Amino acid sequence: MPSITDLAAPFAGWSALYADSTLVSTTVTTIHILALLGAGGLAIGADRLTLRATVPDASRIAEELRAVHRPVLVALTVLFISGLALATADLETFLASPVFWVKLGLVTLLLANGAGLARTESRVRASLPVTDALWRRLRMHAWVSLTLWALVTVAGTVLVNAA
Ligand code: HEM
């Protein structure tokens, strides 16, 4: 089983560059925050739309949710790549940080809920008029999404100060 030091060794050059260059560290953190703004902003906007809608709006809402998937996935990919760059800049600290693992756990739940929401949305589109049970499930995914985006953002901020 490789030690944390062994796992961090291949990133020594990146870690030194990140520590020495304010331009590099600021750029990577800014990309992480902008990707959060993009992915989280679009996702939360779609959740709000779902929670304000009623059953007669189901087909319009399902269409809106289908259309927002791709931009959210693109922004999430940038969030992941920038997150990996942040983590590998100081891997020894973050791998040993319980906050980091709680955050990755919340990110995993966020992705699982996103997959559940996409599945439910395509079932809504395939089975109009929508059943009350399916509509309740879509609303549940929207509430879980809202909650997890907030929790991951808090965990990310705590990570900076308490890794
Ligand atoms: C939905 C996904 C994510 C959200 C909402 C998110 C959010 C945040 C936020 C708000 C910060 C604080 C930035 C600051 O104040 O400087 C942060 C920092 C950080 N994030 Fe993320 N993040 C996400 C995914 C990830 C992933 C997947 C990773 C790693 C694989 C990651 C690694 C980090 C690290 C290491 C920091 C601390 C950087 C430092 O101490 O300078 N994040 N994140």
Side-chain angles (χ1 to χ4, degrees), residues 23-35:
L23 177 66
V24 169
S25 57
T26 307
T27 303
V28 176
T29 306
T30 304
I31 293 171
H32 201 58
I33 302 266
L34 282 176

Side-chain angles (χ1 to χ4, degrees), residues 18 29 32-33 36 76 79-80 83-84 86-87 94 100 103-104 107 110 149 152-153 156-157 159-160:
Y18 187 94
T29 306
H32 201 58
I33 302 266
L36 157 60
L76 264 177
L79 202 52
F80 265 75
L84 281 175
L86 290 169
F94 292 117
F100 182 68
K103 180 179 176 186
L104 289 193
V107 169
L110 185 79
W149 273 107
V152 178
T153 304
T157 311
L159 193 57
V160 173

Side-chain angles (χ1 to χ4, degrees), residues 46-65 124 128-136 138-139 142:
D47 296 334
R48 177 180 170 275
L49 210 64
T50 303
L51 295 173
R52 285 177 57 81
T54 54
V55 172
D57 308 320
S59 74
R60 180 177 60 80
I61 295 297
E63 194 42 46
E64 282 292 329
L65 294 178
V124 167
L128 293 167
V130 66
T131 62
D132 284 352
L134 209 50
W135 187 248
R136 275 198 303 278
L138 197 65
R139 287 176 58 84

